[in-house]
Amino acid sequence: MAAGVAAWLPFARAAAIGWMPVASAPMPPPPRDKRRGQDGLIILNVSGTRFQTWRNTLERYPDTLLGSTERDFFFHEETNEYFFDRDPDIFRHILNFYRTGKLHYPRHECISAYDEELAFFGIIPEIIGDCCYEEYKDRRRENVERIQDDEENDNNKDMVLPDMSFRETMWRAFENPHTSTMALVFYYVTGFFIAVSVMANVVETVPCGSGPNRAKEVSCGERYVLAFFCLDTACVMIFTVEYLLRLIAAPSRYKFVKSVMSIIDVVAIMPYYIGLVMTDNEDVSGAFVTLRVFRVFRIFKFSRHSAGLRILGYTLKSCASELGFLLFSLTMAIIIFATVMFYAEKGSSASKFTSIPAAFWYTIVTMTTLGYGDMVPKTIIGKVVGSVCSLSGVLVIALPVPVIVSNFSRIYHQSQRAEKRRAQKASKQTGQALVCKSNPTFETQHHHLLHCLEKTTNHEFVDEQTYETSCMEVSLAKPSMSRSSSLSSSPHGLSSCCTRRNKRKSFNVPNSYMADGRRSSIQELSTIQIRERPMSNSRSCLNAKFEETVHLNSEEQSYITAAVISMPTPPVTTPEGGDSASSPNFLQSNIVRVSAL
Amino acid sequence: MKMSSRRRRCKRQLIKFTQHIARLITGTLSSDNEDEEQESTTVRYHPENLEQLQSQTHFSRQELQLLYRGFKNDCPSGVVNEDTFKNIYALFFPLGDSSKYAQFLFNAFDKDKNGSLSFEELVCDLSVLLRGSTEEKLNWAFNLYDINNDGQITKEEMLDILKSIYDLMGKSIHPRLKEEAVRQHVRMFFQKMDMNQDGVVTIDEFIDCCQKDENIMQSLKIFDNAV
């Protein structure tokens, strides 16, 4: 919309005639129009394909190659055209950017070729329109990752960074077992012991034949108590040592302790220690036995060794709501059928359906088509209800499952995309803010328009900070405080006429024009733009026409447009020090009024 | 009477019910039956030819071409409706609320009051504002202020207009805007313009007063080179 808005400026200015009769102060003189040359057609010859456009179209973006005098380097006298030895297919999109203000990314093009063309023509990729921006970023990231992966595979063997501390080495060894032999050995040893421990838990409940002086069979665990105890001790030793080592090596211990894996580790080894501490008391032995169940959690330690388990856990977590809903609908159906079944079978003698909760079991077994047969309806109504139950069971269970499966993939991809987008947005806004510039003539005229508005209403634009200051203070502000407050970086940048509209179709943001002709006149505000820029390497920097950048807090991305009003007291910032031809217009306080112009 | 109507209603319900069952059995979805075709209601409008516009306005051929190209870029359908106009105008005054003033402007531009501005209307008004005589400009301004087109500007109309102009500034202005300031402005205006003190300003009073005021005369000329 950048081009379009400039086209409407004459209408807006003409409409300003409507303010004239009600104005309470004389109007500022209009800016001197930089004489634009006659608008002519420019021929751009890109590797044989001729493109033509108006000169004004190209000059909308004066900080790109085509919009500035840099294109003169490519002028070909014999044919009176500009010749570029580049790809004409991609050039088409670049030229469309000048025409429409939106840069699109063609999906069939290679991302690196596209990036090269953009870099050549001086266009920053952040201005790619919303329609194509995601795709562009995705492709770019894939490319970068691919390059990185290739590099990693090459450098994997010799990734010894000598300046890593011992702690960091250990942590790296724990996280990536294939980085060193020691780590690999450790990895396999722990894996082996996890398997051994789980097997021991399983085997100790197997009946092992009758003991020597007992009649009934005992489990292996009770027969070979000492052996199993030794095995258990050994495993717990290893697990404890591993946990402690990880705790020491972790870069952020607090985060490590909070993580799921460490909780599993703790739960896996706790029962042993609790068993050691507790005496052989009759009351607590029951609880102690329960505690041994937790030993099975050791199997979850395998998830460190298996990426698939981790993904499964993550997807289950992210689909918790869907699973919950499935459970809820099943519960509803179970309750309904169980109730009906109970009342249907109430009449029959020796019915197993003694209560509704008892009927729950039948309903579940029927709905999941298990059909154990331990509870069977005898009455006719009961049988009818039972058949309806089993038919609906198939539906109720079969229907949500594909939904859940598709939800899995949808939610998984969605959360990934949302994170991507959030990360992209931040960089995109800053890039966009920098790049969306409009031509200086438009800026001058737009500001003159706003200036007229100020004169009409006899009020002035100020930044939010001084507005609040003036609200809070009854008397005039003290000079020193006001000076520092208004020029110190206002956190949200100035509500300059143009900066706040980043969110809308912004047609311009930081203005780079200088009040050239106005300096001479005494009766006015000399407007000096102090632009604060977060990144200073962009091409736009170089073409900016302001005369001095005041370095305010460079951490904040604030675009400050300050108007230093020539005032009796020495002004805070004037690039031209002596140009403070004081104007008695300035009535009120010594606040440096930071006008939006 | 009642019996037959009731019977009719019963029959209708029964028919609907059987239809419903039939649809259930055959498995047709209700949305299959509806054949909605959205008719595209784009309005296409193109202006009169260039020569005619040239004769009607004070613009040269190149200027008209330039203006139309920009116009067509934003409004491919050839007309601007009120919402688009408000949106475009808001881009110039990002700090304040320009919708009311844009509405007054729209009504002033829209001579035939059909709710949309064609290119001719815009360009004719533009030529008056930028290239016309001062009397024509003052005439236009009077039409802008006279919201109900009754030939007189009342205090309420002036108050509305001034409020909308102050709205363009937004909140962050210095000194702080007080309610009284706008009324004061209205009073000043009427003091200056209302010669016979009858509480309204007619067009002759308006033009006379403005022509006597040097500042206003001067300021009417500042946009003359806008295109």
Side-chain angles (χ1 to χ4, degrees), chain A residues 139-155:
Chain A
R139 293 274 287 267
R140 202 184 204 188
R141 195 172 356 106
E142 273 175 35
N143 207 25
V144 164
E145 281 169 0
R146 193 177 322 135
I147 295 178
Q148 268 182 2
D149 275 344
D150 289 344
E151 283 177 5
E152 248 183 42
N153 286 340
D154 290 339
N155 307 352

Side-chain angles (χ1 to χ4, degrees), chain A residues 480-542:
Chain A
S480 52
M481 182 197 85
S482 61
R483 213 178 293 154
S484 56
S485 74
S486 48
L487 247 230
S488 65
S489 47
S490 37
H492 180 36
L494 209 56
S495 52
S496 133
C497 49
C498 314
T499 55
R500 275 222 298 206
R501 286 310 155 206
N502 262 351
K503 304 190 183 84
R504 296 214 195 143
K505 305 180 194 172
S506 61
F507 52 97
N508 50 13
V509 177
N511 326 320
S512 63
Y513 95 98
M514 267 320 237
D516 21 14
R518 309 248 217 105
R519 205 57 58 86
S520 46
S521 67
I522 299 179
Q523 286 270 339
E524 321 188 29
L525 310 169
S526 53
T527 47
I528 298 172
Q529 304 242 346
I530 301 174
R531 175 154 48 150
E532 143 99 38
R533 212 190 299 273
M535 325 168 201
S536 48
N537 306 345
S538 68
R539 198 200 167 99
S540 47
C541 236
L542 307 170

Side-chain angles (χ1 to χ4, degrees), chain A residues 54-353:
Chain A
W54 296 108
R55 182 174 295 122
N56 279 353
T57 314
L58 291 181
E59 280 168 6
R60 278 187 206 143
Y61 299 98
D63 57 340
T64 58
L65 187 153
L66 289 173
S68 63
T69 51
E70 194 180 340
R71 64 171 187 244
D72 293 338
F73 286 101
F74 299 93
F75 190 66
H76 195 62
E77 268 87 13
E78 287 116 36
T79 47
N80 205 27
E81 59 192 16
Y82 293 89
F83 181 78
F84 296 96
D85 205 5
R86 312 290 299 188
D87 188 355
D89 292 329
I90 300 183
F91 185 76
R92 192 168 61 83
H93 299 280
I94 292 179
L95 196 54
N96 271 338
F97 164 64
Y98 286 91
R99 291 192 188 117
T100 62
K102 284 194 272 230
L103 182 63
H104 294 283
Y105 168 62
R107 278 168 172 75
H108 59 268
E109 291 290 350
C110 168
I111 185 77
S112 25
Y114 190 72
D115 270 341
E116 274 173 26
E117 295 296 311
L118 285 186
F120 180 81
F121 286 103
I123 298 176
I124 302 180
E126 268 74 20
I127 52 174
I128 290 184
D130 282 334
C131 42
C132 302
Y133 192 64
E134 246 184 72
E135 168 90 17
Y136 172 78
K137 276 289 181 191
D138 285 347
R139 293 274 287 267
R140 202 184 204 188
R141 195 172 356 106
E142 273 175 35
N143 207 25
V144 164
E145 281 169 0
R146 193 177 322 135
I147 295 178
Q148 268 182 2
D149 275 344
D150 289 344
E151 283 177 5
E152 248 183 42
N153 286 340
D154 290 339
N155 307 352
N156 223 355
K157 302 297 187 260
D158 39 290
M159 242 215 327
V160 168
L161 297 129
D163 51 347
M164 269 200 333
S165 71
F166 178 64
R167 179 172 163 184
E168 283 173 353
T169 332
M170 246 195 342
W171 181 249
R172 232 189 71 235
F174 281 138
E175 293 298 296
N176 308 352
H178 50 271
T179 46
S180 74
T181 342
M182 270 306 295
L184 211 58
V185 163
F186 186 73
Y187 176 75
Y188 281 128
V189 162
T190 44
F192 173 71
F193 271 98
I194 294 175
V196 160
S197 157
V198 170
M199 286 303 294
N201 282 349
V202 166
V203 165
E204 75 181 2
T205 58
V206 170
C208 243
S210 49
N213 39 355
R214 285 173 223 229
K216 63 176 172 76
E217 284 212 9
V218 292
S219 60
C220 283
E222 283 171 19
R223 191 152 170 196
Y224 303 105
V225 176
L226 198 59
F228 277 107
F229 180 72
C230 288
L231 200 57
D232 206 21
T233 313
C235 293
V236 168
M237 281 293 116
I238 302 270
F239 296 154
T240 319
V241 163
E242 178 205 356
Y243 181 71
L244 287 175
L245 280 181
R246 275 185 206 263
L247 188 63
I248 293 174
S252 156
R253 298 212 176 104
Y254 180 59
K255 235 178 27 167
F256 174 72
V257 168
K258 276 199 305 183
S259 73
V260 175
M261 288 311 301
S262 84
I263 293 181
I264 290 178
D265 287 339
V266 170
V267 169
I269 59 182
M270 262 333 194
Y272 177 80
Y273 288 112
I274 295 182
L276 278 186
V277 164
M278 276 200 311
T279 59
D280 237 333
N281 211 342
E282 275 305 314
D283 310 334
V284 292
S285 70
F288 175 58
V289 166
T290 330
L291 222 51
R292 299 183 96 193
V293 170
F294 282 102
R295 288 187 304 170
V296 80
F297 271 81
R298 287 179 196 166
I299 208 171
F300 284 115
K301 286 165 69 79
F302 268 129
S303 60
R304 270 217 188 88
H305 299 249
S306 150
L309 267 182
R310 279 201 298 271
I311 291 177
L312 182 64
Y314 173 74
T315 43
L316 279 179
K317 194 164 61 144
S318 61
C319 281
S321 64
E322 266 72 17
L323 286 175
F325 175 69
L326 171 63
L327 217 58
F328 173 70
S329 59
L330 268 180
T331 314
M332 261 179 32
I334 286 171
I335 293 179
I336 291 174
F337 279 110
T339 315
V340 175
M341 212 52 207
F342 172 71
Y343 284 111
E345 284 288 304
K346 201 158 178 214
S348 77
S349 57
S351 146
K352 287 243 175 66
F353 297 84

Side-chain angles (χ1 to χ4, degrees), chain A residues 435-505:
Chain A
V435 165
C436 288
K437 295 164 61 79
S438 179
N439 56 40
T441 326
F442 172 74
E443 285 311 310
T444 334
Q445 294 179 344
H446 184 221
H447 283 192
H448 175 250
L449 188 66
L450 291 172
H451 205 167
C452 289
L453 181 61
E454 281 188 347
K455 286 286 184 201
T456 312
T457 54
N458 218 13
H459 289 69
E460 273 144 9
F461 291 104
V462 291
D463 69 333
E464 287 166 10
Q465 207 171 17
T466 38
Y467 173 62
E468 275 150 27
T469 345
S470 67
C471 285
M472 288 185 292
E473 294 169 2
V474 177
S475 58
L476 302 180
K478 301 188 277 286
S480 52
M481 182 197 85
S482 61
R483 213 178 293 154
S484 56
S485 74
S486 48
L487 247 230
S488 65
S489 47
S490 37
H492 180 36
L494 209 56
S495 52
S496 133
C497 49
C498 314
T499 55
R500 275 222 298 206
R501 286 310 155 206
N502 262 351
K503 304 190 183 84
R504 296 214 195 143
K505 305 180 194 172

Side-chain angles (χ1 to χ4, degrees), chain B residues 185-203:
Chain B
H185 205 150
V186 176
R187 274 197 290 268
M188 263 176 22
F189 178 78
F190 269 83
Q191 253 174 348
K192 203 163 47 159
M193 300 278 167
D194 190 9
M195 295 205 283
N196 56 0
Q197 298 296 324
D198 57 353
V200 292
V201 178
T202 61
I203 180 141

Side-chain angles (χ1 to χ4, degrees), chain A residues 8 18 22 446 460 497 501 507, chain B residues 74 91-92 94 145 174-175 185:
Chain A
W8 286 91
V22 293
H446 184 221
E460 273 144 9
C497 49
R501 286 310 155 206
F507 52 97
Chain B
D74 282 331
L91 291 174
F92 290 104
Y145 301 146
H174 175 85
H185 205 150

